[in-house]
């Protein structure tokens, strides 16, 4: 199924981040995507005034794995150690609506045609929502990159946007080279290393404490929000069954108990939380890398002392120590910048999302009120 | 002294134009899952108060309400609950204006038992009482002071009230001496034979009777298709209601789940708000947590509404439709009796003919007497059958009218509760919005 998303659609769905596509020198969007069984093919469309690119406007087809490749190469680039790498978009997951479709098919015999059609409609809408969500998340990833002063100039990023052949060859090579080594290290050790380091800088000390705590809280909130949204969906589904059965029951009592509870506002909140959970993980990764650099620096100090004691290889040790110090300072400097701007970004995004959510709740409730009042009046007048 | 303030009053006007009024909005906390149990000691016996008030409007006006049970006294096996109640009436047939009586749960069942065997009420749709629930009652007796046993008590109270209302709403039943005795008499002798109505009792009973009728070898030659058609209608409607009830049940459960998940989410939000270092955002997140807490409350009340207004309505009517089916069965049995009498009469006549031929004058006299006797019976049974046919027709029509009004009334009530819920929701979010906008 192909889905062309127009601008207004995207405006509505863009909730986790402020509008990133501001800089006209490099504009990226995903105007459409194709869903074939498990695989989603995104069309990445770029408009640019930069000379680094061969053409001013072009489109390429990309798969989810290509995005992951891009993310991983960025993470593994030493030069970017001091930056927060935008979190990779999650894999498209159509499991839930697909399972429901399956169940619906099995239960088709037990329900009326009308009920079946309604449920089918609901499921198709759910499917579409998942689809739109995944497109949006992939799009935002690219836009975060394009709006970043340093990352937007990355060569691999440009290849990703431009290269009109299949990227899968490159992806294989990359895997062989890095072998996921760095990723594994980050996953297992970061918490321990970050909390274990003796911090000299107040700013980083605070950030560390804050991020570690906030991460666990937001992870919890995300999970709880997901559960709540699922419950809400169940209630909405029940109402479909009820209204269908009521309609078949009494011809004169044409009650449309359409107490349809719209759960999109909750979906928004869940999405926001999930996105920032990943973003905070990315920030933690930055802290980790800096902590590693600090550890390296401390090691190099010790090595230097040793060398001086033994009066052996002192110049190399000194140079090594200098390099470590420089790396650490560079990381600290850029890290501070990144984390500060991250803070601001997060606050702005939350604000936008919470406002939208509240407004949606109010709008839907008002609609429900009108609908219910109409039903009541109709029934009373009969 | 009633220790709860959920006192519901329902007025029933003249049966032919009855409409259920909604309980006054000020009737205290809703009979929700959050019903707070009695602070009195965990004594197992519960009491039910039965109150009747009468309005002077109409001679058929009876106000029936059952107020909440109280736990008092020692548990005396075997068990049902002792209750006491106050009544008020100015019906000419009743002795006093206001009176109350104590009634056990088994008394209600006993009343049904008495009515269901009366020939004068044959063909009538007699409202079935709520079923005994061994598990529910055991919990209450054991003194479990948890929300589920409170909910059980409230459910039973409401069901008994609806049951009585339907009884007094029926013109024939209201005239019945047993009903009057139930409403008036100080002490009722303990009801026996209520075992049949325990557990899943009522419908099982009806279905057994139906089966017996179906096993009849003589199939009825129906001259009037109205009965056949109507019975089919009733049966299919019962099916539909069962289906609907199952879905509403699922709705109640899902909503309770939503309740729980919302509460958990609210707490998580509160913790996140505490962690947040931006002051305004922290405040907003805490406010969000409070809003979600309020939402949980809303969901809980809505779940109660789903259950007490919607689900119980369906459950009542599933049983009532069973009762309607019972009337049709009674008519069938009346027909059977008539047919059997006819065939007996035929046999007697044949016997007489044989005697005539065999020339036994002494036995002949007896045979002639028997023939007369059976001729009378045949006439009687035919009249009974016709009469019951008329009653069933009338009853079914009355029932359908009642049902339409009942459903409409309850559904309006349900929708109104949802409406209120949505309006409160709007208020909560409108209060939150400025907080969100204040984030900087």
């Amino acid at each position: 199924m192909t889905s062309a998303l127009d601008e207004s659609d995207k405006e509505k769905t863009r909730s986790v981040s402020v509008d990133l596509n501001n800089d006209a020198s490099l504009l990226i969007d995903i105007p459409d995507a194709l869903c074939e069984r498990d695989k989603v093919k995104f069309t990445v469309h770029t408009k640019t005034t930069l000379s680094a690119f061969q053409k001013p406007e072009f489109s390429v087809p990309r798969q989810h794995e290509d995005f992951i490749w891009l993310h991983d190469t960025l993470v593994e680039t030493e030069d970017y150690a001091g930056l927060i790498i935008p979190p990779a978009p999650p894999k498209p997951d159509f499991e839930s609506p697909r399972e429901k479709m399956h169940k619906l098919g099995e239960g088709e015999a037990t329900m009326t045609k009308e009920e079946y059609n309604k449920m089918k409609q609901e499921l198709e809408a759910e499917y579409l929502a998942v689809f739109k969500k995944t497109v949006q998340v992939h799009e935002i990833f690219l836009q975060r990159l394009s709006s970043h002063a340093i990352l937007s100039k990355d060569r691999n990023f440009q290849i990703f946007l431009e290269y009109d052949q299949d990227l899968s060859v490159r992806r294989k090579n990359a895997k062989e080279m890095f072998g996921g080594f760095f990723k594994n290290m980050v996953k297992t050790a970061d918490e321990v290393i970050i909390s274990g380091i003796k911090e000299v800088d107040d700013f980083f000390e605070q950030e560390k404490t804050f991020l570690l705590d906030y991460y666990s809280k937001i992870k919890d909130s995300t999970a709880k929000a997901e559960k709540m949204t699922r419950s809400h969906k169940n209630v909405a589904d029940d109402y479909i069954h009820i209204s269908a059965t009521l309609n078949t029951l009494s011809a004169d009592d044409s009650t449309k108990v359409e107490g349809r509870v719209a759960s999109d506002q909750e979906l928004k909140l869940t999405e926001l939380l999930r996105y920032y959970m990943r973003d905070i993980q990315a920030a933690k990764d930055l802290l980790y890398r800096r902590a590693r650099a600090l550890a390296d620096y401390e090691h190099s100090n010790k090595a230097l002392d040793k060398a001086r004691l033994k009066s052996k290889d002192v110049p190399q040790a000194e140079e090594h120590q200098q390099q470590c110090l420089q790396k650490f300072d560079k990381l600290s400097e850029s890290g501070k910048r990144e984390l500060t701007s991250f803070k601001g970004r997060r606050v702005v995004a939350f604000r936008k999302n919470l406002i939208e959510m509240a407004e949606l709740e109010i709008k839907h409730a008002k609609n429900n009120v009108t609908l219910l009042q109409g039903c009541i009046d109709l029934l009373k007048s009969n | 002294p009633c220790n709860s303030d959920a006192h519901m009053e329902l007025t029933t006007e003249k049966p032919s134009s009855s409409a259920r009024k909604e309980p006054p909005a000020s009737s205290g906390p809703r009979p929700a899952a959050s019903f707070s149990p009695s602070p009195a000691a965990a004594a197992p016996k519960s009491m039910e108060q039965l109150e009747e008030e009468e309005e002077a409007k109409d001679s058929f006006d009876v106000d029936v309400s059952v107020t909440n049970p109280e736990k008092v006294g020692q548990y005396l096996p075997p068990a049902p609950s002792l209750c006491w109640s106050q009544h008020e009436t100015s019906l000419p047939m009743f002795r006093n204006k206001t009176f109350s009586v104590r009634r056990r749960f088994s008394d209600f069942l006993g009343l049904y038992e008495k009515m269901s065997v009366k020939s004068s009420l044959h063909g009538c749709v007699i409202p079935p009482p709520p079923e005994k629930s061994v598990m529910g009652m055991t919990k209450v007796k054991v003194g479990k002071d948890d929300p589920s046993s409170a909910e059980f008590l409230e459910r039973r109270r409401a069901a008994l009230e609806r049951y009585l209302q339907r009884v007094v709403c029926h013109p024939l039943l209201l005239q019945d001496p047993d009903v009057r005795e139930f409403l008036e008499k100080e002490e009722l002798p303990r009801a026996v034979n209520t075992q049949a109505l325990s557990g899943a009792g009522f419908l099982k009973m009806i279905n057994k009777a139906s089966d017996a009728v179906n096993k009849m070898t003589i199939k009825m030659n129906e001259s009037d298709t109205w009965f056949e058609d109507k019975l089919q209608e009733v049966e299919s409607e019962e099916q539909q209601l069962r289906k609907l009830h199952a879905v509403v049940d699922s709705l109640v459960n899902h909503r309770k789940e939503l309740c729980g998940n919302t509460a958990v989410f609210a707490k998580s939000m509160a913790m996140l708000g505490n962690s947040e270092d931006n002051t305004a955002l922290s405040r907003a997140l805490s406010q969000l947590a409070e809003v979600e807490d309020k939402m949980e409350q809303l969901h809980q009340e809505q779940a109660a509404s789903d259950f007490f207004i919607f689900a119980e309505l369906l459950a009542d009517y599933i049983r009532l439709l069973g009762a309607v089916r019972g009337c049709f069965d009674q008519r069938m049995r009346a027909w059977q009796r008539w047919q059997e009498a006819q065939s007996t009469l035929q046999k007697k006549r044949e016997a007489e003919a044989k005697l005539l031929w065999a020339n036994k004058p002494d036995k002949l006299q007896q045979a002639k007497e028997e023939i007369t006797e059976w001729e009378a019976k045949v006439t009687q049974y035919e009249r009974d059958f016709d009469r019951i046919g008329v009653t069933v027709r009338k009853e079914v029509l009355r029932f359908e009218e009642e049902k339409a009004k009942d459903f409409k009334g309850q559904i309006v009530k349900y929708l109104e509760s949802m409406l209120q819920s949505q309006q409160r929701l709007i208020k909560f979010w409108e209060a939150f919005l400025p907080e969100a906008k204040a984030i900087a």
Side-chain angles (χ1 to χ4, degrees):
Chain A
M1 121 186 150
T2 325
S3 186
L5 303 166
D6 59 34
E7 205 46 52
S8 61
D9 262 348
K10 286 202 275 180
E11 272 309 317
K12 275 184 238 150
T13 57
R14 193 173 289 136
S15 65
V16 296
S17 209
V18 288
D19 199 5
L20 293 164
N21 232 10
N22 275 327
D23 186 359
S25 65
L26 183 61
L27 292 171
I28 306 178
D29 69 322
I30 300 182
D32 62 67
L34 192 69
C35 188
E36 281 168 5
R37 290 169 152 260
D38 264 2
K39 295 231 168 271
V40 183
K41 276 205 170 72
F42 303 95
T43 303
V44 179
H45 169 249
T46 313
K47 239 173 153 174
T48 179
T49 58
L50 299 173
S51 52
F53 294 95
Q54 288 173 5
K55 288 185 268 182
E57 189 169 352
F58 47 89
S59 288
V60 292
R62 289 289 175 252
Q63 290 181 5
H64 169 73
E65 286 72 21
D66 299 330
F67 287 77
I68 300 302
W69 163 81
L70 178 58
H71 173 260
D72 290 351
T73 50
L74 292 174
V75 165
E76 317 236 331
T77 307
E78 273 291 317
D79 280 348
Y80 302 149
L83 307 177
I84 298 179
I85 311 291
K91 194 163 185 223
D93 179 22
F94 294 99
E95 189 56 44
S96 167
R98 194 178 298 135
E99 207 182 293
K100 279 186 176 176
M101 259 305 183
H102 188 66
K103 273 203 191 127
L104 182 66
E106 284 181 346
E108 185 176 355
T110 62
M111 46 182 104
T112 66
K113 194 152 184 260
E114 192 186 313
E115 202 177 335
Y116 177 75
N117 284 335
K118 258 200 182 157
M119 288 297 294
K120 191 148 170 267
Q121 259 183 354
E122 275 297 306
L123 275 180
E124 283 171 356
E126 194 178 321
Y127 204 82
L128 191 64
V130 171
F131 186 70
K132 278 190 185 164
K133 204 179 24 157
T134 194
V135 167
Q136 180 204 359
V137 139
H138 284 75
E139 193 181 70
I140 283 185
F141 172 67
L142 295 177
Q143 288 174 345
R144 282 277 300 270
L145 292 176
S146 69
S147 55
H148 194 286
I150 299 171
L151 292 172
S152 59
K153 300 191 176 64
D154 181 80
R155 184 67 197 126
N156 284 315
F157 182 47
Q158 288 171 359
I159 290 173
F160 178 92
L161 293 173
E162 237 187 349
Y163 190 62
D164 56 3
Q165 309 281 321
D166 198 346
L167 279 179
S168 51
V169 178
R170 280 188 176 253
R171 285 191 306 187
K172 282 210 196 75
N173 292 341
K175 259 211 176 108
E176 277 158 24
M177 267 176 33
F178 295 117
F181 161 76
F182 195 67
K183 245 210 248 170
N184 287 335
M185 292 229 42
V186 171
K187 288 289 189 298
T188 54
D190 63 353
E191 291 278 337
V192 176
I193 293 193
I194 292 177
S195 43
I197 218 77
K198 202 170 60 151
E199 195 46 78
V200 292
D201 188 332
D202 262 350
F203 173 80
F204 283 98
E205 180 62 38
Q206 277 180 0
E207 278 304 297
K208 180 183 75 181
T209 316
F210 170 69
L211 283 177
L212 287 178
D213 180 42
Y214 201 75
Y215 179 73
S216 73
K217 302 270 162 59
I218 204 172
K219 190 164 170 207
D220 185 61
S221 295
T222 307
K224 307 273 159 71
E226 270 171 18
K227 260 185 122 181
M228 189 172 75
T229 309
R230 258 201 306 267
S231 290
H232 231 152
K233 273 225 173 79
N234 285 338
V235 170
D237 284 346
D238 283 335
Y239 270 117
I240 293 181
H241 288 301
I242 290 174
S243 99
T245 317
L246 271 181
N247 280 335
T248 56
L249 243 185
S250 36
D252 56 329
D253 242 7
S254 54
T255 326
K256 281 203 127 194
V257 183
E258 203 112 21
R260 169 89 216 277
V261 186
S263 54
D264 352 321
Q265 53 269 35
E266 272 161 5
L267 212 56
K268 265 181 175 276
L269 182 61
T270 314
E271 281 318 298
L272 175 79
L273 292 173
R274 200 180 289 132
Y275 186 78
Y276 275 95
M277 180 180 84
R278 276 186 262 115
D279 223 4
I280 286 171
Q281 180 64 48
K284 277 169 64 185
D285 292 348
L286 167 60
L287 283 183
Y288 164 75
R289 291 192 290 270
R290 182 178 165 275
R292 272 257 303 214
L294 183 58
D296 286 345
Y297 175 59
E298 282 174 358
H299 282 153
S300 74
N301 264 337
K302 290 203 181 94
L304 181 59
D305 287 343
K306 243 201 219 158
R308 282 187 178 144
L309 267 171
K310 290 189 182 159
S311 300
K312 198 176 161 193
D313 292 329
V314 172
Q316 293 107 301
E318 274 180 352
E319 201 190 312
H320 182 59
Q321 188 236 38
Q322 277 307 304
Q323 278 177 351
C324 286
L325 181 60
Q326 269 175 10
K327 181 167 170 216
F328 175 68
D329 281 342
K330 184 167 153 228
L331 275 187
S332 298
E333 199 187 306
S334 99
K336 212 176 225 172
R337 256 200 324 264
E338 289 278 303
L339 287 169
T340 311
S341 84
F342 170 67
K343 240 192 235 297
R345 229 177 330 115
R346 192 185 80 242
V347 171
V348 172
F350 265 82
R351 177 180 188 274
K352 182 164 181 282
N353 181 280
L354 289 175
I355 292 175
E356 279 175 11
M357 184 176 84
E359 285 175 346
L360 265 182
E361 287 270 359
I362 295 170
K363 179 173 140 206
H364 280 297
K366 286 192 171 158
N367 280 346
N368 282 342
V369 165
T370 317
L371 188 67
L372 287 168
Q373 194 63 62
C375 281
I376 292 171
D377 291 340
L378 183 70
L379 281 174
K380 278 188 171 166
S381 69
N382 257 347
Chain B
C2 179
N3 70 332
S4 144
D5 9 51
H7 172 104
M8 275 170 74
E9 266 183 32
L10 291 149
T11 319
T12 65
E13 286 141 32
K14 252 176 94 163
S16 55
S17 64
S18 85
R20 296 241 156 72
K21 237 194 331 205
E22 286 119 50
S26 55
S27 64
R30 304 199 57 161
S34 53
F35 174 77
S36 47
S38 150
K45 202 177 276 170
S46 56
M47 308 223 299
E48 280 157 9
Q49 291 172 293
L50 185 67
E51 260 189 40
E52 269 179 11
E53 282 177 343
E54 208 257 329
E55 291 193 357
K57 276 187 278 180
D58 197 287
S59 59
F60 285 123
D61 252 334
V62 180
D63 226 340
V64 171
S65 56
V66 178
T67 44
N68 278 307
E70 235 183 54
K71 279 195 194 154
V72 142
Q74 275 299 109
Y75 169 59
L76 302 167
S81 28
L82 246 196
C83 27
W84 66 282
S85 46
Q86 286 167 315
H87 294 230
E88 267 196 44
T89 180
S90 72
L91 270 179
M93 64 180 93
F94 291 103
R95 279 175 290 146
N96 308 311
K97 254 190 172 308
T98 313
F99 50 98
S100 65
V101 289
R102 305 163 92 119
R103 290 292 173 259
R104 308 175 196 88
F105 180 70
S106 55
D107 292 334
F108 289 80
L109 300 181
L111 177 63
Y112 174 79
E113 192 70 25
K114 289 196 189 123
M115 291 191 292
S116 58
V117 296
K118 280 205 179 142
S119 57
S120 59
L121 296 175
H122 262 176
C124 285
V125 178
I126 301 179
E131 285 155 13
K132 255 191 198 174
S133 164
V134 178
M135 195 175 76
M137 210 46 212
T138 312
K139 264 207 218 161
V140 170
K141 281 177 190 158
V142 163
K144 256 184 137 191
D145 254 2
D146 64 39
S148 71
S149 56
E151 196 177 315
F152 170 77
L153 283 178
E154 175 51 33
R155 181 179 179 181
R156 170 175 279 197
R157 183 207 67 80
L160 288 173
E161 192 172 81
R162 290 194 304 273
Y163 166 64
L164 268 193
Q165 276 190 300
R166 290 196 174 104
V167 167
V168 300
C169 193
H170 193 300
L172 281 177
L173 296 180
L174 187 56
Q175 309 271 14
D176 186 277
D178 279 323
V179 171
R180 293 223 308 270
E181 185 182 75
F182 180 89
L183 294 176
E184 270 192 312
K185 195 159 178 197
E186 266 307 308
E187 281 281 338
L188 276 190
R190 224 172 234 274
V192 294
N193 292 335
T194 59
Q195 290 310 103
L197 296 165
S198 62
F202 175 73
L203 279 175
K204 230 197 292 184
M205 190 173 77
I206 291 281
N207 290 333
K208 257 203 304 202
S210 272
D211 285 343
V213 168
N214 287 336
K215 289 200 183 94
M216 267 172 24
T217 44
I218 323 165
K219 268 302 163 195
M220 186 161 168
N221 189 3
E222 194 68 80
S223 50
D224 187 350
T225 54
W226 184 91
F227 289 96
E228 223 171 81
D229 295 340
K230 198 44 95 163
L231 184 58
Q232 258 182 357
E233 243 181 71
V234 166
E235 282 170 348
S236 106
E237 196 173 339
E238 198 177 326
Q239 281 297 80
Q240 290 288 66
L241 282 187
R242 277 181 197 277
K243 209 173 140 206
L244 187 57
H245 186 252
V247 185
V248 175
D249 229 8
S250 152
L251 173 68
V252 172
N253 286 333
H254 281 148
R255 214 191 281 282
K256 284 188 173 162
E257 222 176 75
L258 176 60
C259 224
N261 288 340
T262 308
V264 163
F265 175 70
K267 287 202 180 70
S268 180
M269 266 291 120
M271 305 258 321
L272 187 66
N274 280 339
S275 268
E276 177 59 59
D277 60 354
N278 176 300
T279 330
L281 179 55
S282 169
R283 226 178 96 92
L285 289 175
S286 303
Q287 292 290 73
L288 180 63
E290 277 181 32
V291 172
E292 292 292 342
D293 255 337
K294 293 192 183 126
M295 295 294 285
E296 186 229 339
Q297 187 63 29
L298 272 186
H299 291 317
Q300 216 172 44
E301 289 170 14
Q302 189 59 53
S305 175
D306 291 340
F307 181 74
F308 282 102
I309 302 179
F310 206 177
E312 288 285 79
L313 171 75
L314 296 172
D316 279 356
Y317 272 91
I318 291 172
R319 280 204 305 274
L320 276 166
L321 285 173
V324 174
R325 268 193 295 130
C327 299
F328 282 83
D329 289 341
Q330 281 179 334
R331 180 175 166 269
M332 286 293 260
R333 270 177 274 142
W335 181 83
Q336 255 187 314
R337 213 171 343 128
W338 175 33
Q339 296 303 307
E340 282 163 8
Q342 277 186 321
S343 93
T344 310
L345 178 61
Q346 182 64 16
K347 287 203 192 90
K348 297 287 178 195
R349 286 200 172 127
E350 284 168 6
E352 189 206 25
K354 276 205 196 111
L355 286 174
L356 268 173
W357 194 78
N359 199 11
K360 288 200 181 139
D362 46 327
K363 291 211 173 130
L364 205 56
Q365 182 55 32
Q366 190 195 348
K368 281 204 192 308
E369 281 172 6
E370 282 182 2
I371 286 175
T372 318
E373 182 195 334
W374 278 95
E375 276 174 345
K377 280 195 179 161
V378 164
T379 316
Q380 179 61 46
Y381 291 163
E382 183 179 3
R383 253 208 306 254
D384 284 348
F385 172 69
D386 286 337
R387 198 167 34 91
I388 203 177
V390 168
T391 309
V392 169
R393 265 193 130 106
K394 247 191 355 191
E395 280 289 290
V396 166
L397 289 173
R398 193 193 74 90
F399 171 76
E400 285 181 337
E401 239 182 64
E402 284 291 308
K403 176 165 66 83
K405 284 193 186 98
D406 212 353
F407 262 82
K408 187 155 98 167
Q410 290 295 88
I411 288 184
V412 166
K413 200 162 133 186
Y414 182 64
L415 292 179
E416 281 177 345
S417 92
M418 285 181 72
L419 183 71
Q420 272 175 19
S421 180
Q422 292 293 299
Q423 283 167 335
R424 284 167 67 193
L425 195 152
I426 291 175
K427 285 212 177 68
F428 295 152
W429 287 104
E430 279 180 342
F432 173 73
L433 197 52
E435 288 291 338
K437 290 190 168 157
I439 300 171

